[in-house]
Each structure stands twice: as structure tokens, then as C-alpha cells.
Amino acid sequence: MTAKPLTKREKSVRRHNIATLLALMAFIALVVRSTELVTLPGAVNFVAIMTLFVAIITMFRTRNADEYVAAIWRAGTSTAFIITAAVLIFLPFTEGFIDGLMGYENGQDIDASDASEMVIIASFFIANAWARLRGTA
């Protein structure tokens, strides 16, 4: 049985899927490393960041490989945008409201921009995985 060569579209879809898995694994490694639940070498940070960088560029370049991949990409980016806007707006508001109720007057303890990077990437991957698991985007 002879295997027929992959088309350009099929190669792009395959690259996108592999890049998505690599980026997700790199993100999980960064989260595990930052929580310090498991002791990992310092090189894991560098390798994970570089893998995440290359994988996200690959995902971006192949985001329109076909309709399904484009729909999954849109689901992830739309959710990441909404979650980011909500975090940047409501996190400082919620902290101020709770500090007001408790009577704390020590200023802003949680800077929304500190948490936003991880929240953006996490919300993208969660929405992307949810769209893939659902089977429709």
C-alpha cells in the first residue's frame, strides 16, 4: 500500500495541532515551575519559554489552515480577550471592595497586570482545549 503525500493544508493542520500540544505542555511546565510544587532545574524555565514562543508563532502562522482550526483559534482568542478585560477591570475593583468591607487601608495588594500574562495564556488554552473536546467551535 503506497502512502499518498500530505497536502499543504494537511501539513499546516498537523503543524498547528503539534504546536498546540507543545505550547500546552510548555505552559504546564511553567505553571508547575512557578508554583514550586515540584523542584525542577532552572533550565526548564528557559526551554519552556522558548518552546512556548516558537509554538505560539507556529500556531499563529497556521491558524487559518482549515475551517476547524480557524474556529478553534477564534474560540481561544475570543475567550482570552474577554477574560483579560475582565481581570484587568474587575480584579482591582474586587480587591478594593473587599478591602473596604474589611477595613484594610493598606493600598493595592494585587496588581492586575502581574497576573494577566498567566491568565491570558491559561484562558486561551482552556478555551482551545474545550473547543477541541466539544468537537465544534
Side-chain angles (χ1 to χ4, degrees):
M1 177 174 193
T2 61
K4 107 179 171 182
L6 295 175
T7 65
K8 183 179 179 184
R9 182 189 66 77
E10 291 170 335
K11 287 179 184 177
S12 291
V13 170
R14 185 172 286 181
R15 276 189 207 113
H16 185 86
N17 289 336
I18 291 170
T20 301
L21 291 174
L22 285 173
L24 181 61
M25 287 188 299
F27 179 70
I28 290 171
L30 285 173
V31 169
V32 167
R33 174 103 166 88
S34 68
T35 58
E36 298 177 358
L37 293 174
V38 178
T39 305
L40 297 173
V44 169
N45 232 11
F46 177 74
V47 171
I49 288 172
M50 295 313 295
T51 303
L52 190 61
F53 181 70
V54 170
I56 288 176
I57 288 174
T58 303
M59 289 170 63
F60 183 76
R61 291 193 62 187
T62 59
R63 71 189 182 279
N64 292 321
D66 68 354
E67 295 83 16
Y68 183 67
V69 170
I72 289 173
W73 178 266
R74 279 192 306 275
T77 54
S78 298
T79 303
F81 175 75
I82 290 169
I83 297 294
T84 301
V87 164
L88 291 177
I89 293 170
F90 294 115
L91 187 66
F93 170 78
T94 305
E95 180 194 2
F97 181 77
I98 291 172
D99 284 351
L101 283 177
M102 300 294 188
Y104 300 138
E105 296 181 15
N106 55 354
Q108 186 175 2
D109 299 324
I110 302 172
D111 186 12
S113 64
D114 288 345
S116 64
E117 295 92 6
M118 290 300 228
V119 169
I120 292 167
I121 296 173
S123 61
F124 173 80
F125 283 126
I126 290 168
N128 192 311
W130 180 252
R132 283 179 187 273
L133 288 174
R134 259 190 357 208
T136 58

